[in-house]
Structures are given as structure tokens and as C-alpha cells.
């Protein structure tokens, strides 16, 4: 069966056993993901997500059926403010907290969050852990 691969330290850009480069895949305009490890049978996965400068996610909010943990490695992220929503490239004076390098989030399934905006762009480490699903 499928499961998360056991992997020793290696550079994230290349798979250590196949030596194939891992691909960044665009999931929304200006937002790309690179999968580091995944279990196709459960949907559990670990990935990097990067946002280009002045990017706003297009989905109005997110609700998902898995636990999501995020560590912001570089850059900035904030809840979308009215200023950025109107197309301004500056968030100056919007009043929304801006999270920077080292910021951490843990979200339970069903938690409503977003939309978000990044002024300078950002890089995040993300884990997605599905919860047991009952089919009764």
C-alpha cells in the first residue's frame, strides 16, 4: 500500500532516490506548491507553498476536511484587507496583522479561514493530515 516515504535529509528540490526534480505546480494565480511527501491512499501530504509578491488568493475562504499546519519560512502573509482587495499594492494602514518569518498556524478540519494577501511574497511549509472518515 501507499504511505509516506521515509526520507533522509536531502535538498527539497530533488527527490533523493529518483533524482528527479520536484515540480512547482500553480494552484492559483501567483501561488505554487511543491509536494515533498504524500500518501495517495489517505491524502496526507507535506508541501512547500510559495506566493509571488502582491498575491491574493482567489478563493473567498477555505474550509477543508483535514488538519493543516503551517510554518511561514520567509516573507509575509495577512488576512486580505479592503485596501488590497481594491487592487492596491500596499497594505499600509489597513490595520490587519501581518505575519512574518516564524509564524505558525494549526487549523482543525472545518475551520473557515482566508482569503489572504502577501505583500512581499512568502514561502510556507505545510502539512495536511486527513481525519478518519466515517462512511456509515
Amino acid at each position: 500500500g501507499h504511505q509516506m516515504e521515509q526520507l533522509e535529509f536531502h535538498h527539497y528540490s530533488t527527490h533523493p532516490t529518483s533524482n528527479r526534480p520536484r515540480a512547482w505546480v500553480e494552484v492559483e494565480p501567483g501561488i505554487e506548491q511543491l509536494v515533498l511527501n504524500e500518501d495517495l491512499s489517505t491524502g496526507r501530504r507535506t508541501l512547500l507553498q510559495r506566493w509571488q509578491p502582491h498575491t491574493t488568493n482567489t478563493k473567498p475562504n477555505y474550509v477543508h476536511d483535514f488538519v493543516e499546519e503551517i510554518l511561514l519560512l520567509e516573507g509575509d502573509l495577512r488576512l486580505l484587507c479592503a485596501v488590497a482587495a481594491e487592487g492596491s499594492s500596499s497594505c499600509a494602514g489597513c490595520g490587519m496583522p501581518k505575519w512574518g518569518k516564524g509564524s505558525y498556524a494549526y487549523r482543525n478540519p472545518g475551520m473557515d479561514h482566508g482569503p489572504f494577501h502577501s505583500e512581499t511574497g512568502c514561502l510556507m511549509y505545510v502539512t495536511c493530515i486527513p481525519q478518519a472518515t466515517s462512511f456509515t
Side-chain angles (χ1 to χ4, degrees), residues 1-134:
H2 294 279
Q3 61 185 29
M4 299 287 277
E5 286 185 90
Q6 180 170 300
L7 301 169
E8 195 43 81
F9 279 112
H10 62 283
H11 194 269
Y12 73 84
S13 62
T14 305
H15 191 281
T17 52
S18 70
N19 288 319
R20 282 197 299 251
R22 289 186 171 115
W24 287 97
V25 176
E26 189 173 73
V27 292
E28 288 190 51
I31 304 173
E32 297 173 299
Q33 288 185 172
L34 181 147
V35 174
L36 296 169
N37 205 341
E38 67 183 329
D39 180 342
L40 296 172
S41 66
T42 65
R44 180 178 173 187
R45 55 195 195 141
T46 303
L47 54 93
L48 293 175
Q49 187 176 89
R50 70 180 177 196
W51 291 42
Q52 298 304 314
H54 310 299
T55 293
T56 299
N57 63 323
T58 54
K59 296 177 183 173
N61 55 20
Y62 285 93
V63 177
H64 41 62
D65 58 358
F66 49 83
V67 166
E68 181 181 55
E69 280 188 280
I70 301 173
L71 184 64
L72 190 56
L73 302 176
E74 296 173 5
D76 70 273
L77 191 71
R78 69 171 83 206
L79 283 168
L80 179 64
C81 60
V83 176
E86 290 168 8
S88 170
S89 63
S90 171
C91 290
C94 78
M96 287 290 183
K98 180 161 79 171
W99 304 295
K101 182 177 179 177
S103 297
Y104 168 79
Y106 181 99
R107 300 183 181 130
N108 282 318
M111 182 177 164
D112 188 342
H113 55 288
F116 297 102
H117 176 77
S118 181
E119 200 167 1
T120 63
C122 64
L123 178 66
M124 295 179 276
Y125 176 84
V126 182
T127 62
C128 304
I129 305 168
Q131 298 306 284
T133 304
S134 170

